Amino acid sequence: MMACLLEAPLRISVLSEVTATSRHYVDRLFDPDPQNVLQGVIDMKNAVIGNNRQKANLIVLGAVPRLLYLLQQSSSSLELRTECAVVLGSLAMGTENNIKSLVDCHIIPALLQGLLCSDLIFIEACLRCLRTVFISPVTPVQLLYTDPTVIPHLMSLLSLSQHTQEYITQIFAHCCKTPEHQTVLFNHGAIQNIAPLLISPSYKVRMQALKCFSVLAYENAQVSMTLVNVLVDGEQLSQVFVRMMQRDKPIEMQLTAAKCLTYMCRAGAIRTDDNCIVLKTLPCLVRMCSKERLLEERVEGAETLAYLMEPDIELQRIASVTDHLVSMLADYFKYPSSVSAITDIKRLDHDLKHAHELRQAAFKLYASLGSNDEDIRKKITETENMMDRIVSGLSESSIKVRLAAVRCLHSLSRSVQQLRTSFHDHAVWKPLMKLLQNAPDEVLVMASSTLCNLLLEFSPSKEPILESGVIELLCSLTQSDSPALRVNGIWALMNMAFQADQKVKVEIVQALGTEQLFRLLSDPDTNVLMKTLGLLRNLLSTRPHTDMSSHGKQIMQAVTLILEGEHSIEVKEQTLCILANIADGNTAKELIMTNDDMLQKIKYYMGHSNVKLQLAATFCISNLIWNEEDGSQERQDKLREMGFVDILHKLTQASDPNLCDRAKKAMQQYLA
Amino acid sequence: MSGPSSGCGFLMSVVVHGDLALSEQEKELNQRLRSLYPAVSDQETPLPRSWSPKDKFSYIGLSQNNLRVHYKGHGKTPKDAASVRATHSIPAACGVYYFEVKIISKGRDGYVKYMGIGLSAQGVNMNRLPGWDKHSYGYHGDDGHSFCSSGTGQPYGPTFTTGDVIGCCVNLINNTCFYTKNGHSLGIAFTDLPPNLYPTVGLQTPGEVVDANFGQHPFVFDIEDYMREWRTKIQAQIDCFPIGEREGEWQAMIQKMVASYLVHHSYCATAEAFAKSTDQAVHEELASIKNRQKIQKLVLSGRMGEAIETTQQLYPSLLERNSDLLFMLKVRQFIEMVNGTDSEVRCLGGRSPKSQDSYPGSPRLFNSPVHKASSSQTYQTSTYYIHKFFFSASIGKKNILQKSGLLHQKKTFLVPKSTCFLAAEVEMEVDHFSNGVSESSSNGFLNGSSTHGIDLEELDSAQSKRQLCGGSQAAIERMIQFGRELQSMSEHLRRERGKNSANKKMLKDAFSLLAYSDPWNSPVGYQLDSIQREPVCSTLNSAILETHNLPKQPPLALAVGQAAQCLSLMARTGSGSCAFASVDDYLH
């Protein structure tokens, strides 16, 4: 009873004491005697170190504007200004809310202004604080670039001391987020200024300089091309990076150096068969994926490796046999492990946090590994539970994981064998179709692209997909604003129409509608146009389908439209092929024969300078004059009148053997 | 670090290989093996250098210095398989061992089965491919499978064929093995490997040819990088080794070791200052330390006669009771006479007896049990140990030395390896050998690992001044007389105490000096080197200390010696981590 009574007032008094002392610290900043102010700031410094509550209190009580005022005041002693910067730096070390308050008080311009001072200690204190503010995720990086004089000034401060080097490179490494940022830093001599820091005696400086280069080189050909020619102490930069990847170096350094070389390679500055990539960077990144590494490192390692080898089959082949990478990646799916759930809550939390990241990284790396080589794809699909993992990945809540899973599926779907076997066995089309119902564009692009492969005629999944009402969905994709989605939509339809039965073809034509068909034929994206023509060709091919009772006219219109328009050779060739298909149909022939304009166009293309177009046009004529069909005599006569025989005769002398052969066969129709 | 001790190893291995001039390839091989496996003693555990012509199946043919293997059987059934082992098993002291095999030809077409590359123990049937039997391990080219003591393989890596280079790496720390193909690591193939495996290759197709690289050429795979990783791992393990709750005791123990070392070697002033600042008691009277210091200075400056005399004065019964020691001192005195440095002949030589106390600094000898070999390298190494040891002792303890006030005095006894050390030596020569007698030995110091013989030859032009006993006839006579006394002492000793081969050899070697017109430039000339005073000095010092019931070895030297012994014991018992924990590497 007594204890309770005593305790309550005691707690209150402790609390009020805290605010009272905080208040006291702030009050002392306003003391008329500058000596007292200085002592006050120093005492404040000692009071806030490591004390987040105290930091918050001081901010609430308005210490920041006063400290900034004192820091900026030229009448303040240098010592006072420095101590102010130190206290502000300490406040910034607290919570994200602290940083927000500091930024709201315009601490950044004040500190940047402070950098113009000539005193090194003061500059270092300002930089330390700026560094802490800028590396926080709540600070808008753009604030570094608002004043155009800031970057050049920071560059000039790099030579002052190891501390300025460390803080400035760290700021750059964190604030270089866009190609524009890269360009600004590059134009102000970032490379020449930072390169020498790679051999600084200070590990921190070396590390931050290295990080700078990794963000500068990322997808930036200009920077990367410059980097390969930079010498540091007589040594090529790439060799400096190679040394930093040695296995006795800290993991952080190995990984970042590998990133630099990866980015330089992807930007085209280093060949993919260069030893520093094949024998150094790639093995280093594979090591980063091993179980011994931290989860974060494994994520970064896998993502970087995926990026490095994406375009190069040789690197994919090497990686696929290096250190059992394919089975090593299977371990990425085992988090949180059953052990961690039982033994250690902290560990479980850590595992959970990284589980998504690990899975998406593994999917990305599998996608990259399997993008070209059939054997590697087989190896991947044979990894324990791989297809099940992809299937469940497709419906995970994390969009990153879904995207990576569908990328992986897409990569594997390039394999005829896998389409026929594992894809069918695991009914991957089901989750894929579900994914297509409602997903952001980037997922849709990958998913629809995968669907294209699943709809190839030899794929056993084609039938069930057709039955699931996919045509509507694909037709709606062709109306998307995204060219990639339009391509995939029409592409899938094209694949679907290939050697399909009449029922499917009719369904496609009806679902798509002539209007949409014409819109696609005038699509600004050539890919869309090509695939649409491909669809037409597939719809018309095989004799019984060619006689397009209802759409004949429209299709002829479309063909005319394209042949008259400005299009690439490929587009025109495809169009002439459609015409050739039409010329093969029983009744459809008449659509051409009665269209003199069209015949003139065919004649024109038979005399075109491009062999492919000549061939397609000749094919068309050859179909029209084919002997065994009704009315061939009339057509032959008409075409002879129009001068086609002369042209055919001339083409029998053509240098291209295919064209020559085709023309001869056509001439035989006349002779028979 | 390629320590000076490995320099020693080189000299010895040259001797072992006899007079045959080493071919370029052999030289390169020696060099590479030495830098890859510095902890391996080539006498105790020779490294594999080629395939063994004795340890192979008859279907195997060897050529090109036993590095090329070809198949000469029928290759019709698995019964025609044939293997060959390397000349030696892989020593554990390698830590990480690596060799490569290049496929010159996969053999005649139409044969589906072909080679295996791997490891096997002594005695495993050679009429088989590596991996098929117990204690046999292989990676097979036809299917890319690994065979772990079993006729059935496990999927492991890619297949390999003509033109490929396959590497095999044995990690003797965790007893695993991985392979490489064309410089790319394929991942762990085997775990829990037994010790003493031999590199092995097996063939079974007519026309199959493979070449081995045991270090003759640079490897395709960067094995050094892999070794670096393990060296770092082992050293981190040592650095992080818990010393538990006894941190205070730890510091006190180090201080004790330092103090006892200083006392042992009679660094009076430093010892006193150190003891004072670290609040320790010195277990020997200052006067006694000073006495020992005086005697050591005399021995090290070659003035043996005076040294013996002083010892007899200060420790009257010591030499009486220890006649072998006295004999050794006298033999040394004889050598110094030949050298012209002993005080008895110096007086006769008419040279001004220089200030007698000017021997540089204090004696610096540090004769740890493992470094018995008396050479300049050892000398330098041991000094270096101390230097390094003190500094490593302060790791994590924020410079105990500095706190204890020892550091500012360190130059008096901690001679930094290069400049200070050499300066001291040069000073010594100038002071004592105005005739330039010892230029050769001072050169030996400078180079550390060079051989003295070479230096002597190079310095021929400077020899003119070097004369027996300093060139004085009287001195020569005295020397000869002394030699007779020594001879009779030896005979007396033999009668009294029976044969002593060490004494006999000592005397014989010393007398041999007179057989040459230029003793300095003779096969026994090394005795004249001032470095040879060091073991004499140490033995005497230890004997004096023993009479005071003090340890004849300072604990510091014992600790370093024990650490080194422990490592060689690890090597013998198959603990590979000893490769990356040499006392040398670690103490810095």
Side-chain angles (χ1 to χ4, degrees):
Chain A
M1 191 66 187
M2 280 295 283
C4 284
L5 278 176
L6 271 172
E7 241 178 74
L10 196 70
R11 201 178 293 144
I12 291 164
S13 78
V14 167
L15 256 176
S16 58
E17 202 180 306
V18 167
T19 22
T21 48
S22 304
R23 160 75 55 205
H24 179 61
Y25 284 123
V26 179
D27 289 346
R28 287 171 71 190
L29 300 181
F30 294 89
D31 196 292
D33 180 356
Q35 213 39 52
N36 288 345
V37 176
L38 176 62
Q39 195 51 51
V41 176
I42 292 173
D43 291 345
M44 187 186 274
K45 174 177 76 177
N46 294 331
V48 297
I49 289 175
N51 186 341
N52 270 348
R53 171 112 65 90
Q54 186 69 276
K55 287 175 190 174
N57 279 343
L58 290 174
I59 291 172
V60 170
L61 291 170
V64 177
R66 182 63 185 170
L67 286 168
L68 282 173
Y69 172 81
L70 293 169
L71 180 138
Q72 287 173 292
Q73 214 47 33
S74 52
S75 57
S76 302
S77 72
L78 206 51
E79 198 183 358
L80 175 60
R81 297 172 72 190
T82 308
E83 292 295 344
C84 286
V86 172
V87 174
L88 287 166
S90 195
L91 294 178
M93 292 281 197
T95 63
E96 288 190 350
N97 277 332
N98 289 5
I99 300 262
K100 274 185 198 147
S101 313
L102 291 171
V103 173
D104 290 345
C105 292
H106 303 291
I107 190 175
I108 291 176
L111 290 171
L112 289 173
Q113 190 65 29
L115 298 181
L116 297 172
C117 173
S118 60
D119 183 75
L120 180 59
I121 307 292
F122 178 60
I123 290 177
E124 286 182 349
C126 288
L127 279 173
R128 193 180 306 124
C129 184
L130 276 170
R131 182 269 316 259
T132 314
V133 172
F134 270 121
I135 64 173
S136 162
V138 300
T139 310
V141 293
Q142 201 49 43
L143 291 175
L144 184 67
Y145 304 94
T146 358
D147 178 351
T149 63
V150 167
I151 300 293
H153 186 61
L154 286 174
M155 293 287 175
S156 72
L157 294 178
L158 274 174
S159 57
L160 292 190
S161 74
Q162 279 186 12
H163 284 129
T164 64
Q165 289 167 355
E166 180 194 335
Y167 303 142
I168 293 171
T169 45
Q170 200 175 351
I171 291 171
F172 287 166
H174 270 88
C175 295
C176 182
K177 304 256 190 217
T178 66
E180 292 75 38
H181 297 160
Q182 289 174 334
T183 308
V184 170
L185 291 172
F186 176 80
N187 288 342
H188 286 104
I191 293 178
Q192 294 76 0
N193 283 310
I194 298 173
L197 306 185
L198 287 172
I199 51 169
S200 160
S202 151
Y203 172 76
K204 284 179 178 171
V205 173
R206 288 201 303 275
M207 200 53 229
Q208 294 304 334
L210 186 61
K211 281 187 176 167
C212 271
F213 283 121
S214 84
V215 293
L216 280 169
Y218 181 65
E219 296 196 327
N220 191 317
Q222 186 185 33
V223 170
S224 298
M225 290 297 190
T226 313
L227 284 181
V228 279
N229 295 315
V230 171
L231 293 181
V232 180
D233 201 21
E235 196 178 13
Q236 280 192 337
L237 203 60
S238 55
Q239 287 313 303
V240 177
F241 291 150
V242 165
R243 235 176 331 100
M244 288 174 148
M245 286 192 298
Q246 281 180 357
R247 296 169 82 147
D248 54 347
K249 297 285 187 296
I251 297 301
E252 182 192 30
M253 180 172 268
Q254 292 186 40
L255 182 53
T256 316
K259 274 182 168 179
C260 286
L261 288 163
T262 296
Y263 298 158
M264 287 163 74
C265 179
R266 282 302 305 268
I270 303 177
R271 290 166 54 107
T272 50
D273 59 358
D274 192 299
N275 270 350
C276 78
I277 298 296
V278 182
L279 290 175
K280 297 293 172 187
T281 310
L282 183 137
C284 174
L285 288 171
V286 173
R287 287 201 302 277
M288 295 301 138
C289 299
S290 98
K291 223 174 175 170
E292 288 171 48
R293 302 276 72 85
L294 300 176
L295 300 185
E296 297 91 323
E297 292 160 353
R298 293 168 75 183
V299 169
E300 267 191 78
E303 286 182 332
T304 312
L305 182 57
Y307 182 61
L308 172 69
M309 65 190 180
E310 204 172 16
D312 190 280
I313 185 170
E314 205 42 51
L315 291 181
Q316 290 157 10
R317 285 188 179 138
I318 293 168
S320 75
V321 298
T322 299
D323 287 338
H324 306 302
L325 177 64
V326 175
S327 51
M328 200 196 303
L329 280 177
D331 191 71
Y332 277 48
F333 295 94
K334 295 178 182 160
Y335 293 88
S337 69
S338 45
V339 189
S340 64
I342 304 161
T343 54
D344 188 349
I345 292 292
K346 235 178 167 177
R347 164 95 188 274
L348 175 66
D349 189 47
H350 179 252
D351 281 6
L352 273 173
K353 224 164 66 194
H354 289 91
H356 296 303
E357 285 294 305
L358 280 165
R359 282 200 288 274
Q360 63 88 24
F363 279 137
K364 268 186 200 164
L365 188 43
Y366 277 132
S368 189
L369 271 170
S371 55
N372 294 101
D373 188 292
E374 186 64 33
D375 288 342
I376 301 177
R377 287 185 198 126
K378 185 160 179 281
K379 210 165 158 183
I380 293 173
T381 40
E382 281 167 1
T383 310
E384 50 166 320
N385 305 326
M386 191 58 211
M387 292 313 287
D388 291 337
R389 278 179 182 141
I390 296 178
V391 167
S392 61
L394 290 174
S395 45
E396 265 203 46
S397 60
S398 157
I399 190 151
K400 249 180 139 177
V401 178
R402 266 185 289 161
L403 179 58
V406 74
R407 268 176 73 171
C408 183
L409 191 66
H410 177 246
S411 174
L412 298 174
S413 74
R414 294 190 184 137
S415 155
V416 175
Q417 162 140 36
Q418 298 313 323
L419 281 177
R420 282 189 174 142
T421 56
S422 56
F423 272 55
H424 189 59
D425 298 344
H426 290 85
V428 293
W429 64 271
K430 280 186 191 163
L432 192 66
M433 285 299 291
K434 220 177 126 203
L435 196 60
L436 278 162
Q437 307 298 329
N438 182 25
D441 271 10
E442 46 179 352
V443 176
L444 274 185
V445 169
M446 269 298 153
S448 54
S449 188
T450 313
L451 195 63
C452 287
N453 291 340
L454 285 166
L455 285 169
L456 287 167
E457 49 96 19
F458 50 78
S459 157
S461 308
K462 187 176 176 176
E463 279 308 308
I465 295 177
L466 273 175
E467 283 156 24
S468 72
V470 73
I471 297 179
E472 287 295 325
L473 185 107
L474 293 174
C475 290
S476 70
L477 283 183
T478 65
Q479 296 177 16
S480 161
D481 289 337
S482 148
L485 281 180
R486 291 202 302 275
V487 171
N488 287 346
I490 195 74
W491 195 340
L493 288 171
M494 177 186 104
N495 285 350
M496 196 185 282
F498 182 75
Q499 292 183 354
D501 51 32
Q502 184 70 11
K503 182 175 150 277
V504 174
K505 288 185 177 177
V506 169
E507 223 176 302
I508 292 173
V509 175
Q510 279 171 355
L512 196 61
T514 358
E515 216 171 303
Q516 176 61 8
L517 193 65
F518 275 92
R519 212 174 294 134
L520 290 169
L521 285 171
S522 50
D523 198 286
D525 189 307
T526 316
N527 262 328
V528 176
L529 178 54
M530 282 296 284
K531 298 298 180 250
T532 313
L533 292 171
L535 171 65
L536 280 178
R537 223 181 133 178
N538 286 347
L539 286 173
L540 296 172
S541 60
T542 65
R543 188 77 64 80
H545 305 151
T546 313
D547 300 314
M548 335 141 275
S549 48
S550 50
H551 314 292
K553 247 191 167 146
Q554 286 92 329
I555 288 175
M556 284 304 287
Q557 263 179 358
V559 168
T560 316
L561 193 81
I562 290 167
L563 289 180
E564 283 174 357
E566 297 229 347
H567 289 289
S568 65
I569 299 289
E570 285 72 30
V571 171
K572 297 214 163 159
E573 183 196 7
Q574 188 78 306
T575 315
L576 287 168
C577 286
I578 292 172
L579 210 53
N581 275 346
I582 296 172
D584 195 33
N586 281 333
T587 52
K589 278 190 175 65
E590 288 312 308
L591 285 170
I592 302 176
M593 289 308 296
T594 53
N595 189 337
D596 279 2
D597 191 34
M598 185 59 80
L599 290 172
Q600 287 300 333
K601 283 197 173 68
I602 293 171
K603 202 166 145 190
Y604 164 76
Y605 284 109
M606 284 175 80
H608 199 271
S609 59
N610 186 289
V611 177
K612 282 182 181 171
L613 296 186
Q614 284 181 296
L615 194 62
T618 311
F619 201 62
C620 193
I621 287 302
S622 147
N623 278 349
L624 288 175
I625 59 179
W626 208 253
N627 263 329
E628 292 138 39
E629 287 162 18
D630 290 345
S632 61
Q633 194 54 49
E634 291 83 35
R635 287 194 292 276
Q636 283 184 2
D637 291 344
K638 174 168 185 185
L639 292 174
R640 189 200 303 272
E641 270 169 46
M642 289 183 75
F644 277 94
V645 177
D646 296 341
I647 300 174
L648 281 174
H649 192 74
K650 219 186 278 169
L651 286 179
T652 56
Q653 312 294 320
S655 56
D656 184 89
N658 281 332
L659 183 57
C660 173
D661 191 46
R662 177 51 54 190
K664 276 180 186 157
K665 275 192 182 138
M667 285 297 285
Q668 278 164 10
Q669 301 302 313
Y670 275 100
L671 298 171
Chain B
M1 192 192 101
S2 63
S5 48
S6 62
C8 256
F10 177 53
L11 290 180
M12 288 177 190
S13 75
V14 171
V15 174
V16 168
H17 285 277
D19 301 326
L20 289 166
L22 290 175
S23 72
E24 276 306 310
Q25 194 184 52
E26 262 176 290
K27 263 188 215 161
E28 202 185 325
L29 174 64
N30 284 333
Q31 208 173 356
R32 188 164 292 115
L33 293 181
R34 215 165 39 245
S35 84
L36 282 173
Y37 317 114
V40 173
S41 149
D42 225 10
Q43 283 82 53
E44 251 180 76
T45 51
L47 286 156
R49 285 161 185 267
S50 64
W51 300 115
S52 166
K54 293 170 197 147
D55 198 6
K56 68 177 184 66
F57 193 65
S58 55
Y59 290 171
I60 291 285
L62 295 179
S63 59
Q64 306 201 352
N65 296 325
N66 293 331
L67 290 172
R68 172 162 288 191
V69 185
H70 66 268
Y71 182 76
K72 47 185 192 184
H74 314 291
K76 291 208 176 86
T77 71
K79 282 180 184 165
D80 296 324
S83 287
V84 58
R85 269 187 282 270
T87 48
H88 300 283
S89 67
I90 299 164
C94 291
V96 166
Y97 180 79
Y98 186 70
F99 70 99
E100 281 180 351
V101 170
K102 178 167 184 163
I103 319 305
I104 302 302
S105 167
K106 73 176 180 83
R108 218 174 282 163
D109 285 340
Y111 287 76
V112 208
K113 289 282 172 191
Y114 51 98
M115 70 205 63
I117 291 163
L119 307 158
S120 66
Q122 182 69 272
V124 172
N125 188 353
M126 294 273 83
N127 188 12
R128 308 270 289 165
L129 285 191
W132 285 351
D133 302 285
K134 194 171 184 324
H135 289 155
S136 176
Y137 307 85
Y139 165 35
H140 292 197
D142 50 1
D143 53 8
H145 287 196
S146 63
F147 288 74
C148 179
S149 304
S150 156
T152 333
Q154 298 292 320
Y156 168 67
T159 58
F160 54 87
T161 185
T162 307
D164 286 328
V165 175
I166 302 300
C168 176
C169 176
V170 183
N171 182 325
L172 297 125
I173 299 158
N174 60 15
N175 300 314
T176 59
C177 160
F178 68 87
Y179 288 89
T180 67
K181 181 183 171 182
N182 301 326
H184 291 281
S185 161
L186 304 178
I188 298 285
F190 309 115
T191 57
D192 304 304
L193 290 175
N196 301 319
L197 292 172
Y198 290 69
T200 308
V201 63
L203 309 175
Q204 60 171 341
T205 297
E208 261 179 306
V209 183
V210 299
D211 276 356
N213 177 8
F214 294 107
Q216 281 84 0
H217 308 284
F219 291 119
V220 179
F221 177 71
D222 190 350
I223 189 65
E224 277 104 333
D225 202 25
Y226 180 74
M227 286 174 149
R228 269 196 286 271
E229 183 179 335
W230 277 91
R231 181 170 293 116
T232 314
K233 274 187 195 171
I234 299 294
Q235 293 190 349
Q237 253 178 41
I238 297 171
D239 288 345
C240 301
F241 189 80
I243 44 172
E245 304 295 303
R246 303 167 46 209
E247 219 161 298
E249 288 174 49
W250 182 252
Q251 180 169 343
M253 189 168 71
I254 289 171
Q255 286 174 349
K256 252 187 198 165
M257 285 178 97
V258 171
S260 59
Y261 174 81
L262 295 172
V263 170
H264 183 95
H265 287 297
S266 330
Y267 305 106
C268 320
T270 315
E272 224 181 334
F274 184 76
K276 210 170 163 188
S277 59
T278 56
D279 212 13
Q280 294 183 75
V282 176
H283 300 290
E284 190 182 352
E285 295 208 359
L286 193 62
S288 160
I289 303 175
K290 281 196 169 145
N291 285 340
R292 285 193 293 113
Q293 188 181 33
K294 190 173 165 192
I295 293 168
Q296 289 185 64
K297 275 184 187 173
L298 288 169
V299 175
L300 289 174
S301 53
R303 290 151 56 195
M304 285 307 300
E306 284 172 81
I308 294 169
E309 212 171 292
T310 313
T311 309
Q312 279 163 340
Q313 273 168 24
L314 293 170
Y315 307 99
S317 58
L318 176 70
L319 297 178
E320 255 171 59
R321 274 186 286 118
N322 200 340
S323 44
D324 279 339
L325 177 63
L326 178 63
F327 182 71
M328 182 180 87
L329 296 178
K330 293 232 174 198
V331 173
R332 186 68 212 169
Q333 185 178 1
F334 175 80
I335 295 166
E336 298 296 356
M337 281 177 164
V338 175
N339 217 351
T341 41
D342 191 70
S343 9
E344 279 196 52
V345 300
R346 277 170 83 95
C347 311
L348 298 169
R351 267 181 280 139
S352 65
K354 276 227 170 185
S355 154
Q356 301 296 318
D357 288 335
S358 57
Y359 186 83
S362 315
R364 293 138 303 167
L365 175 71
F366 181 10
N367 201 14
S368 72
V370 276
H371 289 281
K372 284 261 163 64
S374 310
S375 69
S376 62
Q377 288 98 328
T378 313
Y379 175 81
Q380 202 174 30
T381 309
S382 41
T383 313
Y384 194 35
Y385 275 161
I386 306 299
H387 182 58
K388 291 205 280 189
F389 191 87
F390 285 156
F391 286 95
S392 77
S394 63
I395 290 172
K397 306 278 181 298
K398 269 286 168 214
N399 259 327
I400 297 163
L401 292 173
Q402 211 151 24
K403 273 193 211 150
S404 59
L406 182 70
L407 201 60
H408 67 277
Q409 298 181 0
K410 84 172 196 274
K411 276 191 185 161
T412 58
F413 65 96
L414 292 177
V415 199
K417 194 179 179 188
S418 53
T419 48
C420 277
F421 178 74
L422 294 171
E425 287 307 321
V426 170
E427 187 190 22
M428 175 182 89
E429 307 304 342
V430 170
D431 273 0
H432 289 275
F433 307 110
S434 43
N435 61 357
V437 159
S438 292
E439 255 166 22
S440 63
S441 60
S442 100
N443 236 321
F445 280 115
L446 276 163
N447 292 338
S449 60
S450 72
T451 68
H452 298 288
I454 291 167
D455 287 328
L456 288 168
E457 276 166 20
E458 283 170 0
L459 284 159
D460 253 345
S461 57
Q463 307 281 302
S464 52
K465 285 191 222 157
R466 211 156 56 179
Q467 289 175 301
L468 202 63
C469 301
S472 143
Q473 192 54 43
I476 293 176
E477 277 164 21
R478 171 71 193 118
M479 180 265 291
I480 289 171
Q481 187 202 336
F482 188 82
R484 288 201 188 100
E485 290 166 27
L486 206 51
Q487 176 71 36
S488 69
M489 182 184 179
S490 160
E491 283 159 15
H492 178 74
L493 270 179
R494 197 174 58 214
R495 274 196 305 276
E496 293 253 300
R497 322 186 42 177
K499 274 191 182 170
N500 183 326
S501 57
N503 282 353
K504 193 179 166 191
K505 181 175 187 311
M506 212 191 306
L507 191 64
K508 195 183 146 206
D509 285 350
F511 285 171
S512 304
L513 286 169
L514 301 181
Y516 299 91
S517 56
D518 181 359
W520 289 272
N521 205 6
S522 71
V524 290
Y526 67 90
Q527 297 176 91
L528 296 164
D529 194 327
S530 59
I531 206 68
Q532 299 298 332
R533 295 166 187 160
E534 307 272 350
V536 176
C537 179
S538 166
T539 312
L540 180 55
N541 190 35
S542 297
I544 296 172
L545 284 167
E546 266 186 313
T547 62
H548 293 309
N549 286 325
L550 289 167
K552 58 179 195 172
Q553 287 282 335
L556 189 55
L558 268 178
V560 172
Q562 275 167 353
Q565 279 296 349
C566 185
L567 287 172
S568 64
L569 198 66
M570 282 171 81
R572 257 172 265 140
T573 54
S575 286
S577 43
C578 65
F580 301 126
S582 99
V583 182
D584 247 6
D585 276 355
Y586 189 64
L587 300 180
H588 61 80

